[in-house]
Amino acid sequence: MKVSRASKPVGVVLVDKPAGPSSFALVAELRRRTGARTGHAGTLDPFATGLLVLLSGGATSLAPCFVGLDKRYITDVDLTSTTSTGDPEGEILERHESPSREELDAVLARLRGEVELPIPAASAVKIGGERAYRLARRGVVVEMPVRRSQVHALDVSAYMGDSVRLELHVGSGTYVRSIAEALGGHCTMLRRTAVGPFAVEEADPERLTAIADARVRLPDDAVGRVPNAVWERALALEAERSA
């Protein structure tokens, strides 16, 4: 089996992303350091922090196993205004009185379970062949499609009247900014604390986790998202590195 240099090292890298840089900047940083092809299992907005799962070398072929995992977040929501992006980087669109705790709880109850929420305008979804965030930057107003999302848990950990801190456990593809907008507010802080079985406390950008070790932690349905032959090739590449 001919192996390209970009196929190794093989493994999973857990990174605690700081606020500011894009997720792609951290992907590029790992690629420069290792010389291997590098991918990700889901990005975070520049203002957000928390867990990024990066895939190195032959592990990039296993991306479908990681992309579909549930996510956990903590977010602070300003309940008194909405912004063009659903986060602090956008322009304020509207200011209003914050809801009472009873009103807030009533809306939260409707946002649990399987829900349909509009995709934020400042997202990477393509509208007419162009990324939505590029249209938004030019001031082009479009009707954003809705996405069916699974919200397993949506709990209040602190309520401050004008703002609220929420802890969320959601299915893949759920936009936390959409939940904030459904509350009449916008995210002022967003932190991803877990991706499937991987927690942000494990993050170490210098450590390459073996895909064999990562595999035993993945749920069976996630492992089955790629054919066995793909797993076998990735594991063979990994074995060559450690031999």
Side-chain angles (χ1 to χ4, degrees):
M1 179 176 64
K2 185 177 181 179
V3 179
S4 69
R5 289 181 60 192
S7 296
K8 296 191 290 185
V10 182
V12 179
V13 179
L14 304 180
V15 177
D16 186 352
K17 177 192 170 300
S22 70
S23 299
F24 298 105
L26 298 183
V27 170
E29 180 182 330
L30 179 61
R31 185 187 301 119
R32 283 193 300 269
R33 195 166 76 238
T34 65
R37 181 172 62 250
T38 308
H40 63 80
T43 61
L44 285 167
D45 295 322
F47 88 99
T49 69
L51 185 60
L52 283 179
V53 177
L54 305 185
L55 305 172
S56 176
T60 57
S61 63
L62 305 174
C65 300
F66 296 87
V67 170
L69 295 171
D70 286 357
K71 314 290 193 301
R72 292 182 184 271
Y73 297 92
I74 297 173
T75 186
D76 288 342
V77 179
D78 181 337
L79 298 170
T80 67
S81 62
T82 57
T83 71
S84 57
T85 57
D87 60 46
E89 298 183 339
E91 297 180 0
I92 292 179
L93 300 178
E94 179 190 11
R95 296 185 186 275
H96 47 255
E97 293 292 323
S98 60
S100 67
R101 179 59 192 266
E102 291 75 17
E103 292 169 331
L104 176 66
D105 286 342
V107 178
L108 289 172
R110 297 194 294 269
L111 293 173
R112 298 185 180 103
E114 190 174 277
V115 297
E116 289 190 344
L117 295 167
I119 297 173
S123 68
V125 170
K126 286 189 175 181
I127 305 294
E130 190 169 0
R131 299 292 184 186
Y133 66 83
R134 291 176 179 162
L135 296 171
R137 287 172 182 169
R138 298 204 307 269
V140 179
V141 178
V142 297
E143 183 176 350
M144 295 300 295
V146 298
R147 173 175 291 178
R148 183 167 294 178
S149 301
Q150 189 66 43
V151 180
H152 302 291
L154 178 58
D155 301 314
V156 175
S157 60
Y159 174 70
M160 292 74 75
D162 288 347
S163 63
V164 63
R165 174 163 291 186
L166 302 172
E167 296 184 10
L168 304 93
H169 174 199
V170 297
S172 178
T174 303
Y175 287 96
V176 179
R177 287 176 294 153
S178 293
I179 291 175
E181 290 176 346
L183 297 175
H186 68 276
C187 293
T188 58
M189 181 277 289
L190 178 62
R191 181 163 177 78
R192 183 190 287 161
T193 58
V195 175
F198 307 102
V200 71
E201 290 80 9
E202 303 174 68
D204 181 350
E206 303 296 328
R207 185 175 72 234
L208 193 69
T209 299
I211 57 174
D213 294 336
R215 182 179 184 175
V216 299
R217 299 178 60 184
L218 291 170
D220 291 342
D221 64 325
V223 172
R225 289 183 190 127
V226 300
N228 285 335
V230 176
W231 272 107
E232 289 169 2
R233 175 177 170 80
L235 289 166
L237 288 170
E238 185 173 64
E240 287 183 16
R241 177 179 70 88
S242 58

